[in-house]
Amino acid sequence: MTQLAPPQQHERTVHLAKGVALGERVVVLVLATVSLVGLVVARAWPVSSVDSGDPTCLMRIFFGLPCPGCGMTRSWVHLAHGDVLAAFEYNLFGPVGMATAAGLVGFVAYSLVRRRRPERILELVNPRWLLALIVVWMGYSVVRMISLGMGQDYFSLVLS
């Protein structure tokens, strides 16, 4: 009598559509949802309340120096209310981040309406450009931290 060999176990990746892993789709949809919430909150948040109050950034509370994201919330709120100059003063990358968030939300919304895969955006993003942008952002943040640590007031608006 011959025995049948048990079926081989293969690694399984859950796919929602041909060639699309569940993780890719979820990441894009979660990023778009978080971006949309951020854009709505920035528009709804009153400018007067964002310009005053205690800091919430842990790095700023413990070390007195700005983190790479310090001033980003204020930047988004000012930009959402039309004050472009103040947005750039709080964090040079605030408007860049907000434009990226708005572009992501728009792309995903357009893709869903046109019944296309929203995760196609991952194919459009050049990893080298993304890495270069992150390196520039981190460099800008280091310059801000050193400048403020030396007592220079180029970025004093962030700590006010």
Side-chain angles (χ1 to χ4, degrees):
M1 195 169 210
T2 61
Q3 293 183 354
L4 296 175
Q8 293 181 347
Q9 297 286 334
H10 295 301
E11 286 187 39
R12 292 186 177 241
T13 304
V14 177
H15 292 280
L16 295 177
K18 184 177 180 182
V20 179
L22 177 64
E24 292 173 345
R25 179 157 296 175
V26 169
V27 165
V28 171
L29 294 176
V30 166
L31 284 175
T33 302
V34 169
S35 295
L36 179 61
V37 168
L39 293 168
V40 169
V41 167
R43 180 65 184 129
W45 198 325
V47 175
S48 59
S49 73
V50 80
D51 284 340
S52 60
D54 294 328
T56 56
C57 175
L58 292 177
M59 186 168 170
R60 195 166 139 207
I61 291 169
F62 291 126
F63 303 111
L65 295 173
C67 71
C70 270
M72 199 74 79
T73 300
R74 295 180 205 176
S75 178
W76 277 42
V77 170
H78 277 276
L79 191 59
H81 289 275
D83 191 354
V84 178
L85 183 59
F88 278 106
E89 287 176 354
Y90 276 113
N91 191 318
L92 185 64
F93 283 85
V96 173
M98 192 170 189
T100 302
L104 177 62
V105 169
F107 183 88
V108 169
Y110 176 80
S111 295
L112 292 174
V113 167
R114 301 291 289 175
R115 297 182 188 264
R116 296 187 177 157
R117 300 178 312 127
E119 61 277 357
R120 289 180 311 130
I121 197 163
L122 297 175
E123 299 164 5
L124 301 175
V125 175
N126 184 331
R128 289 183 182 166
W129 282 101
L130 183 60
L131 180 61
L133 182 63
I134 291 170
V135 167
V136 171
W137 179 33
M138 291 298 120
Y140 165 75
S141 299
V142 168
V143 167
R144 277 191 343 168
M145 289 178 4
I146 291 172
S147 170
L148 289 165
M150 294 173 54
Q152 298 172 345
D153 63 348
Y154 300 126
F155 303 104
S156 60
L157 187 61
V158 175
L159 294 178
S160 60

